[in-house]
Amino acid sequence: DTEVTQTPKHLVMGMTNKKSLKCEQHMGHRAMYWYKQKAKKPPELMFVYSYEKLSINESVPSRFSPECPNSSLLNLHLHALQPEDSALYLCASSQVLNRAGNSPLHFGNGTRLTVT
Amino acid sequence: DQQVKQNSPSLSVQEGRISILNCDYTNSMFDYFLWYKKYPAEGPTFLISISSIKDKNEDGRFTVFLNKSAKHLSLHIVPSQPGDSAVYFCAASAATGANNLFFGTGTRLTVIP
């Protein structure tokens, strides 16, 4: 079982809907991530939170709005999405990097999003 | 621009034999490399990593080799088992204070019983 839990597993939404994806981890990690993966493509980074503060936004459109309410939770709020936003959305967490070493990311199983 | 490349989309290996998965990268700032395994309908699972100060790291049946001059790394699985059948992603990052992983396009490994 993955230690990063994502809900829901599947989501179908219309272009005018507002929905949220949720992610939770209890490994004490202080860095959390959202990735997007299209079919037959590698995961692509969207956002990074470090100590509950947004540290990286990879030029993601504003119809995607991340939120980190506390060190264990990460949300992705969705509004006015387009059909091309349909993809697998992956959450991950890790220890925060420092110069002494690196830390692997641990991924959840993702939310399969379909925008109609 | 794909900074991490896996040029073999698929690989088939007989059970018990060695599986060798290859990965190339272009960014000389990368100093941390990882391999992930992905089953359908699941997220990527971390397998093994290597820092640029090493050229080899071993964990059980899995060994990762790094050739910095060639900007190449490989994952060896010995002996291969049917349960190893999955998509394997190579990933790399630079120590910038945030763990921005760049992924390759993946190699689908099939281990034939």
Side-chain angles (χ1 to χ4, degrees):
Chain A
D1 285 341
T2 179
E3 294 177 83
V4 177
T5 304
Q6 289 187 244
T7 55
K9 287 187 168 54
H10 301 276
L11 178 63
V12 179
M13 61 185 289
M15 290 188 284
T16 58
N17 291 159
K18 283 186 181 180
K19 296 286 185 184
S20 297
L21 308 185
K22 297 187 182 302
C23 175
E24 188 169 2
Q25 59 89 14
H26 293 289
M27 293 180 281
H29 290 167
R30 300 305 296 274
M32 295 188 76
Y33 312 75
W34 282 114
Y35 278 80
K36 173 181 177 178
Q37 185 176 21
K38 302 278 277 184
K40 299 191 189 305
K41 297 283 189 184
E44 292 182 351
L45 183 69
M46 299 175 72
F47 302 103
V48 181
Y49 273 83
S50 179
Y51 293 104
E52 295 90 69
K53 287 187 174 23
L54 184 64
S55 62
I56 293 180
N57 176 341
E58 289 289 328
S59 303
V60 179
S62 60
R63 57 186 185 269
F64 296 92
S65 175
E67 179 198 17
C68 191
N70 60 55
S71 59
S72 300
L73 294 174
L74 185 66
N75 299 322
L76 186 63
H77 303 297
L78 314 172
H79 175 54
L81 294 195
Q82 304 296 311
E84 58 264 30
D85 296 320
S86 298
L88 179 68
Y89 288 84
L90 292 161
C91 173
S93 70
S94 76
Q95 296 174 7
V96 177
L97 257 190
N98 57 53
R99 283 291 174 183
N102 293 288
S103 172
L105 272 65
H106 296 264
F107 285 85
N109 285 334
T111 294
R112 175 73 59 189
L113 174 68
T114 303
V115 182
T116 60
Chain B
D1 182 29
Q2 194 72 22
Q3 298 186 58
V4 179
K5 298 177 185 178
Q6 293 175 256
N7 292 319
S8 298
S10 64
L11 174 69
S12 289
V13 170
Q14 207 71 33
E15 181 179 3
R17 306 294 292 267
I18 184 171
S19 295
I20 300 177
L21 295 96
N22 293 304
C23 177
D24 298 294
Y25 61 96
T26 57
N27 189 339
S28 57
M29 298 300 291
F30 287 150
D31 59 1
Y32 183 54
F33 304 89
L34 309 90
W35 284 95
Y36 283 85
K37 173 179 174 180
K38 188 176 186 301
Y39 292 118
E42 294 185 9
T45 301
F46 170 69
L47 267 180
I48 191 168
S49 64
I50 188 166
S51 164
S52 60
I53 61 173
K54 294 185 172 183
D55 54 19
K56 177 183 173 182
N57 189 26
E58 192 171 350
D59 183 2
R61 297 186 297 114
F62 301 92
T63 303
V64 56
F65 295 92
L66 176 63
N67 182 334
K68 289 187 288 294
S69 60
K71 293 193 178 68
H72 177 83
L73 65 155
S74 61
L75 175 69
H76 292 209
I77 307 173
V78 179
S80 301
Q81 299 173 353
D84 296 329
S85 297
V87 177
Y88 288 78
F89 288 98
C90 168
S93 71
T96 60
N99 231 346
N100 186 1
L101 284 185
F102 293 86
F103 284 86
T105 49
T107 297
R108 180 175 299 281
L109 172 67
T110 302
V111 179
I112 303 162

